[in-house]
Amino acid sequence: GVYARVDDEPVAFVVPKTLLETLDHDPLHYRNKEFLGQMTTAWARRLELLTATSKVEVLKDKGRFWSVGTLQTYADARKVEPILRALDDLRAARFLEPDAAPAAASDLQKPVRTVRLSIVPDEGREDRAASLVELQIGGPCAGHEGELYARSGAKGTPVCIQAEDAKPFEASDADGRLARPFA
C-alpha cells in the first residue's frame, strides 16, 4: 500500500497502491468516449454514406436491405451490417483541447464523408422515438497521426477518431449490392 492523508489532517492512512494508480490519469481518461449517442442498429431504416461526389443509400424494408441508386437492387447484408456495427462501436480516440477545437470545426465545415443512419423502433415501442444519427468525418487530426476529425451532426463537439475506425464508411454503391444472381 501507500500512505495517504486528507487535506492537512495529521492522520495518515494506508491505502492500496491500485487507488493511486487509478487516480493517476488525466481527467479526460475518465470521460465516456461515445459521442454519437445510444443507438439500436437493428432498427436501422436508412443508411446514407455521402462524399462530395458520391452517395450510397441503403434502405431496410421488411427485414431486407435494398441498395437505392439509379437502380434499386438487393443490398448485401454481409456488407451493410459491418458498417452499422462500426457506427455503433465508434468511439473518440481523444477529445480536443479548447484551443484546437476551432481548427477542427473549420475542417468539418466541408466534411470528407458524412454517414447518416435513420433509426425507427419496432412498432409498439412507446419508450423509444425515431432518431437520426449523423457522423461527419473530416481531415487528419492535427498533431495526431492516424486520426481524423469527426463530430456528431453539424453542431456536435469535434473529436478525433482512429482513421482505421472510419474505413468501413468508405463503401461505394457497388460494394453494397448483392453480387449473387439470386437473393
Side-chain angles (χ1 to χ4, degrees), residues 2-29:
V2 295
Y3 292 108
R5 69 178 188 169
V6 179
D7 295 325
D8 291 330
E9 291 190 26
V11 178
F13 299 95
V14 176
V15 296
K17 188 176 183 180
T18 55
L19 177 63
L20 179 64
E21 292 167 353
T22 300
L23 298 175
D24 192 25
H25 289 285
D26 182 275
L28 291 178
H29 172 78

Side-chain angles (χ1 to χ4, degrees), residues 51-68:
T51 68
T53 59
S54 69
K55 177 179 180 181
V56 175
E57 186 175 4
V58 175
L59 299 175
K60 187 175 183 184
D61 186 33
K62 297 177 184 166
R64 175 169 286 288
F65 289 108
W66 295 88
S67 178
V68 180

Side-chain angles (χ1 to χ4, degrees), residues 48 73 90 124 180:
E48 296 173 284
T73 61
L90 188 64
R180 297 186 321 235

